[in-house]
Amino acid sequence: FRCERSTVEAALKSHGRALEYAHPDLRDNPEIVQLACEHDGMALAFASERLRADKGIVLTAVSRAGAALELTSKALRDNKQVVLTAVQNDGQAMLCASERLRCNKKFITKAVTRNRECFEYIDPSLKHDTEIVRAAFGKVGKLPGIRPKSPPILSPRDLLHLRLAPEAKLDRVFGGGGGPRPPLRINKSFSVPPGGFPRRRPRKSPRTSPTASAAVLTSLPGASS
């Protein structure tokens, strides 16, 4: 049945990768391979080498599965129409494009416009190009994976040695009101004497002798009676 065209065609309508089990003569048949790629672009892997370099068949394959670009000939991986079709289906297909296209600014601008996911796979030298970034993410676009730097977090030990000029202004937002943070004021540090601070002795109440107490009592009014 591998040589029977009708049987192979019926199988390909359900499973495009069934082309793997077809006779080599049928895998070199443009109509059979075209049918297989219409149902599964990755069926291109089982086509003959001659048909993997056929632009029409390759366009059908990469429009169904962008990853099929890896299976094509070197010449088609350098073809703008083929690569754009593959990238539109799968941004990661940009990795299979030729080096010339991956470094072509005009081509990359058009590619990221069709599918911004391919931005991650373009040449690193173009990832900071303003025109390409805007084409991919718009005027307010930001580079993926890049976050603004947060202000450093100071430890209590660092705060003790921090000195700010009177006119210094902090750029951080204070509280939830949006106003500027007030200047930070820190007392001058002091040093502890060797051995620590001396202990303070508790005060004792003055003692009085019994004779003095008796003299005080006799001097009070009415004490003689």
Side-chain angles (χ1 to χ4, degrees):
F1 65 92
R2 294 175 58 198
C3 301
E4 296 180 2
R5 178 167 177 167
S6 59
T7 303
V8 172
E9 287 179 346
L12 294 178
K13 290 179 180 179
S14 301
H15 302 284
R17 300 190 192 187
L19 182 65
E20 177 183 4
Y21 306 101
H23 191 274
D25 292 342
L26 293 178
R27 283 186 280 159
D28 191 51
N29 187 302
E31 296 179 358
I32 295 295
V33 175
Q34 181 79 14
L35 178 63
C37 291
E38 286 177 356
H39 291 83
D40 189 343
M42 297 305 295
L44 185 66
F46 309 110
S48 64
E49 184 177 356
R50 178 180 71 90
L51 295 184
R52 289 202 302 271
D54 185 279
K55 184 178 179 180
I57 293 177
V58 169
L59 281 173
T60 301
V62 296
S63 64
R64 302 296 189 277
L69 181 64
E70 185 179 4
L71 307 172
T72 65
S73 63
K74 185 177 180 180
L76 290 180
R77 291 199 299 271
D78 191 54
N79 184 281
K80 294 182 179 181
Q81 182 183 2
V82 173
V83 175
L84 280 177
T85 304
V87 167
Q88 187 171 357
N89 176 269
D90 184 356
Q92 197 171 358
M94 181 62 72
L95 292 174
C96 304
S98 65
E99 191 68 22
R100 182 183 71 87
L101 292 182
R102 293 181 67 230
C103 297
N104 187 317
K105 179 179 176 179
K106 186 176 181 180
F107 173 79
I108 293 299
T109 303
K110 185 181 296 185
V112 297
T113 303
R114 295 194 180 189
N115 188 354
R116 68 176 60 180
E117 292 181 0
C118 71
F119 179 88
E120 184 178 352
Y121 309 104
I122 65 177
D123 190 86
S125 62
L126 298 177
K127 287 188 175 182
H128 297 280
D129 187 276
T130 305
E131 185 177 349
I132 294 178
V133 173
R134 288 181 177 178
F137 305 101
K139 293 183 179 180
V140 294
K142 296 181 179 179
L143 294 177
I146 299 179
R147 298 180 180 179
K149 293 183 178 180
S150 302
I153 300 177
L154 300 179
S155 64
R157 186 174 182 180
D158 295 333
L159 290 174
L160 288 175
H161 298 85
L162 182 65
R163 296 291 183 269
L164 292 177
E167 64 276 5
K169 295 183 180 179
L170 300 178
D171 56 354
R172 298 178 63 182
V173 177
F174 177 68
R181 182 183 292 271
L184 183 63
R185 298 178 180 178
I186 301 177
N187 297 330
K188 294 183 178 180
S189 59
F190 58 88
S191 59
V192 179
F197 293 103
R199 294 185 178 180
R200 186 177 180 181
R201 295 181 180 181
R203 298 181 61 183
K204 296 182 180 180
S205 58
R207 295 181 179 180
T208 56
S209 62
T211 305
S213 298
V216 172
L217 292 175
T218 56
S219 63
L220 296 174
S224 58
S225 60

